[in-house]
Amino acid sequence: MRKAQKKQIEELLALLEQAHSEVKRFAENKDFGEAMDLLGQCQNSAVQVGEWIEKTEGEGAPTIAKLEEYCETLYEIHEELASDTVSVPAKIYKRLQKSLIQAENSVKNDIKIRLEMVFLPYKASMWDSLESIWMAADADPDCDAYVVPIPYYDKNQDGSFGALHYEGDRFPDDVPVIHYDDYDIKNREPDAVFIHNPYDQYNRVTSVDPRFYSFELKKSTECLVYVPYFSTSGGMSAGQASCMAYYFADYIVIQAEKFRKFYDPELPQEKLVPLGSPKFDKVIRLCQNPPEPPEAWKERMAGRKVYFYNTSINGLLGDTERFMRKMEYVFQCFAKCEQACLLWRPHPLLESTINSMRPEFMPVYQKLRQYFIENNLGIYDDTPEIEPTIALCDAYIGDEATSVTALFGAAEKEIFILNNQIDSEPGEEDWRGEVIQEFNRYGNGRYMVTQGNKLYYAENGDYQYRYSCDLCEYSGGNYYLPWVVSVQGRDYVCPRNGQEILFLKEGKVAEHIKLERQIEQSGAFCGAVGYGNYLLLIPDRYPAIVRYDTLTGGIYYIKDYLDVFSDETKGVRRTGSVCVWKEYLLFASPVNNYVAALHVPFGRIKLMTTGAENVCGCSSMVSDGEDVWLLPYEGYTITRWNPETGEVWEYDCKVEGLQCRNPVCGYECDMRPFGFPAVLEDALYLPPYWGNLYLCLDKNTGEIKVWELPRELKRNTRNGYYPPEGEVAAFLQIDGDKAGIRWQLNTYADHKLYDINLRSEEWEEISIGFLSEELGQQEKGFDRISEWSMYAARENAFNTLSDFLNGTLSGCPYEKARAGQEFAKITANSDGTCGAKTYEFIRDKLAET
């Protein structure tokens, strides 16, 4: 019997209890006619309940016999009242209650609830996110589980609906699919509805039929459950924090407890249930007993190691031109390696995304796909399910930020993360792009944190670095603890992704200073500044400015006005800029003319405004002692502001020939024209950021002119081993230069450093040195990349894709046991029981209501 039906019966029997009290009252008042009439109504209700039970439980249901006994009691009392031989009214009441209670107990104990659960996938390729829950529900004899694939639309560029799709015919043969027109969810009112699309109308690429938006489904069910269509290797994008369905779902299945803080904090915490991912269940099951490969694949796979190549949507949208060139490079590498078999499986929505968001690249993509297929470069996999393919593969290559890496983690198979910027073999000097990082203007040039979060130290301050120590256990990039800042002669490594500070002594880590752990995602901080005795950490996603007193060890968290420094415009999140001005650390807004001013010694913060008409936000900020100079995020107007007097001047720095270009996407714009400037007594020297010119601003006259460099800067960016930075450069002030005329220029495009006298315009390139043997020895190979990434190896100048195919990677070799241990840290129920545990959880919650 359905839960709603049983509840209705229980409610009706409860009404009979109330009727018994009325019968007693009528009998006490000698109003036997009213009492007999009410007994007749009780009998009619009991008969109706019996008929309902007979339809669902059969004629032999024990409860029917109890109801018949109850009806007999009703008849006996009716006859007594009719013959005026009634006994004490209280005894009538007890007889009625005793008989009814036996029927109620039988309803409670003898009638089992049959749950009805419906699963509403829309893409067959994403069925794995629900399948193991359905299997558990379908295996329960007390649950009716239905699979009802729902239709979806492509979206046109203007957001309107395009082609309609229905994939009900693409599900596995053992899944009994019901057409959505044949399942009337409004009339059936299932106990639980499971969905894996959280976006409703807010997906830019596709949309399920509006009848199946979450707010519509919630009208027809007691329990709406969202199960992510993706799995994660440790991190989640900001776009997954607050999807529409979250606010209508009763429960959201999350992969592990650690992911709770990724979600909108406004969501009730009881909604988030850390049970794992059903996607892992299937891949674990299939890897234990791999399926037979399709006939067309067998010859190509025979005797070869099979590499799964994943081309993801995130990679496509990040830099589409580079993404296409990367695909071509991958195909070329495999064409040269006879012992390797490339299995290419594009994301199921890749072509839809190109059509919708990058239509100009569709001919390029189609040409690459045709080249791959016609030249028989490998296996083109367009099968509806990914897990059987994973079970047949030996290793993964592709993007990091995709759920497929997590599936390979569950399968305990090799993962090699590709760098989509790289489309050629490395040259002799290309290690510089990986090793030499930008110099922090508030940092300490005697240290450099480089690949694998390793600390290198130039003991004599001559930029000749030697390996010092590892800063953390993670091998990915240098993003965990990237900056070293000196405060009162003491050196501190400051976090970006981490949430701790490291104190250095003689080039080694002497102390770990733990911060309050506030977030479970990357990008906690975006910089660090030393002032007096204090070290200040500049927040990115961390919910506070951190002031660490290096003398007392006290940590103070300032949480006011953080929205000034971090804001969103045109759908893009930005962070502003900071600078020290007198006793204050100023935080400028990236979208308007607001400035938060933190009085460092007292830890008090107040809100100010520059009063400038230019309100497009600040990308860089510097003080000359009295005034503060704010460089624009958009446009070419530089603001000069005196926080004490409130005076403000604005300078239009648009000169002939000045252009800005987005270095990733390549389009022209008016964004971030200037890099961090050099401030002299009478001039401001402006290097480019996304702009293309070096400029000089006369502080006295306001005249702006092109600064012709006294020497040509030779760029060394022949390929993707150097990040696409454009012409980005920044000035760094040299400690001890009282005249303020000697500066260093850090050019990001080629990762070089120059010593410049801005008066005499004497230039000298600073030699930045590493020992090549040390760099090779410190390459980690297979390791845990970060808190938010899998156990894997990464493509770089030291470990190329060709090295991976040929088995010649540097560093640690792959260890299957280690892979399993690391995977267990990022998912609950890593033994493949997520689906069963999820079904049991929902079943038990339904029983409680």
Side-chain angles (χ1 to χ4, degrees), residues 527-740:
V529 177
Y531 176 86
N533 298 325
Y534 299 104
L535 175 65
L536 298 119
L537 303 184
I538 314 304
D540 185 353
R541 299 186 186 279
Y542 196 82
I545 303 164
V546 178
R547 189 193 71 177
Y548 172 63
D549 189 325
T550 61
L551 293 183
T552 67
I555 301 176
Y556 185 49
Y557 299 90
I558 302 108
K559 300 183 178 181
D560 296 326
Y561 300 120
L562 296 186
D563 55 341
V564 170
F565 181 66
S566 177
D567 210 332
E568 184 174 303
T569 182
K570 300 177 183 178
V572 177
R573 185 173 177 274
R574 294 177 179 175
T575 54
S577 184
V578 301
C579 79
V580 173
W581 175 78
K582 299 187 176 180
E583 292 186 324
Y584 289 88
L585 182 63
L586 303 180
F587 294 79
S589 166
V591 299
N592 54 43
N593 60 3
Y594 283 102
V595 177
L598 171 66
H599 189 272
V600 178
F602 291 161
R604 296 173 185 167
I605 193 166
K606 63 181 179 180
L607 185 62
M608 307 176 71
T609 178
T610 65
E613 294 182 5
N614 179 48
V615 292
C616 63
C618 174
S619 64
S620 295
M621 179 167 55
V622 63
S623 170
D624 61 12
E626 292 299 322
D627 298 331
V628 176
W629 297 78
L630 298 95
L631 278 57
Y633 236 110
E634 297 179 54
Y636 304 93
T637 300
I638 291 178
T639 300
R640 180 182 185 179
W641 171 55
N642 188 302
E644 279 186 324
T645 66
E647 293 177 283
V648 63
W649 303 264
E650 294 181 275
Y651 305 88
D652 183 357
C653 296
K654 183 71 166 75
V655 300
E656 185 178 354
L658 177 59
Q659 294 179 328
C660 297
R661 183 178 297 275
N662 184 299
V664 175
C665 301
Y667 59 80
E668 289 189 10
C669 60
D670 63 351
M671 299 280 292
R672 308 191 73 172
F674 312 119
F676 193 79
V679 184
L680 277 66
E681 183 178 354
D682 58 353
L684 205 70
Y685 285 82
L686 298 162
Y689 194 82
W690 286 3
N692 62 335
L693 298 176
Y694 284 79
L695 305 177
C696 180
L697 172 64
D698 189 307
K699 293 171 64 176
N700 297 318
T701 67
E703 179 186 4
I704 184 76
K705 63 181 180 180
V706 176
W707 177 36
E708 299 292 345
L709 300 185
R711 62 175 293 175
E712 180 182 0
L713 299 181
K714 295 182 179 180
R715 296 180 58 185
N716 190 31
T717 53
R718 298 183 302 275
N719 52 42
Y721 292 94
Y722 291 80
E725 300 283 7
E727 300 290 342
V728 179
F731 278 107
L732 311 168
Q733 192 159 17
I734 296 176
D735 290 339
D737 176 31
K738 295 182 179 180

Side-chain angles (χ1 to χ4, degrees), residues 228-245:
Y229 63 90
F230 61 91
S231 54
T232 172
S233 56
M236 284 177 61
S237 69
Q240 296 296 335
S242 56
C243 297
M244 187 68 169

Side-chain angles (χ1 to χ4, degrees), residues 442-458:
Y442 295 111
N444 184 332
R446 290 182 296 115
Y447 294 94
M448 184 170 289
V449 182
T450 185
Q451 90 287 18
N453 295 292
K454 295 175 180 293
L455 182 68
Y456 285 77
Y457 182 45

Side-chain angles (χ1 to χ4, degrees), residues 797-813:
F798 302 98
N799 278 331
T800 67
L801 176 57
S802 296
D803 290 330
F804 184 50
L805 299 183
N806 294 320
T808 56
L809 285 183
S810 302
C812 300

Side-chain angles (χ1 to χ4, degrees), residues 408-409 411-415 782 791 812-817 819-820:
F408 271 85
E412 297 181 5
K413 296 188 177 186
E414 295 175 66
I415 299 171
F782 278 96
Y791 172 77
C812 300
Y814 175 77
E815 299 178 29
K816 186 172 182 177

Side-chain angles (χ1 to χ4, degrees), residues 333-351:
C333 288
F334 275 88
K336 299 174 186 177
C337 189
E338 182 60 30
Q339 72 270 23
C341 171
L342 175 61
L343 186 147
W344 176 30
R345 183 184 176 89
H347 189 285
L349 295 178
L350 193 70
E351 288 197 35

Side-chain angles (χ1 to χ4, degrees), residues 198 214 226 236 238-254 259-273:
S214 61
Y226 167 64
M236 284 177 61
Q240 296 296 335
S242 56
C243 297
M244 187 68 169
Y246 300 171
Y247 303 96
F248 295 94
D250 296 283
Y251 296 103
I252 301 167
V253 176
I254 64 175
F259 298 106
R260 189 178 291 277
K261 290 185 179 179
F262 277 98
Y263 290 86
D264 181 357
E266 297 299 318
L267 288 169
Q269 288 298 297
E270 60 269 19
K271 272 193 180 189
L272 306 176
V273 287

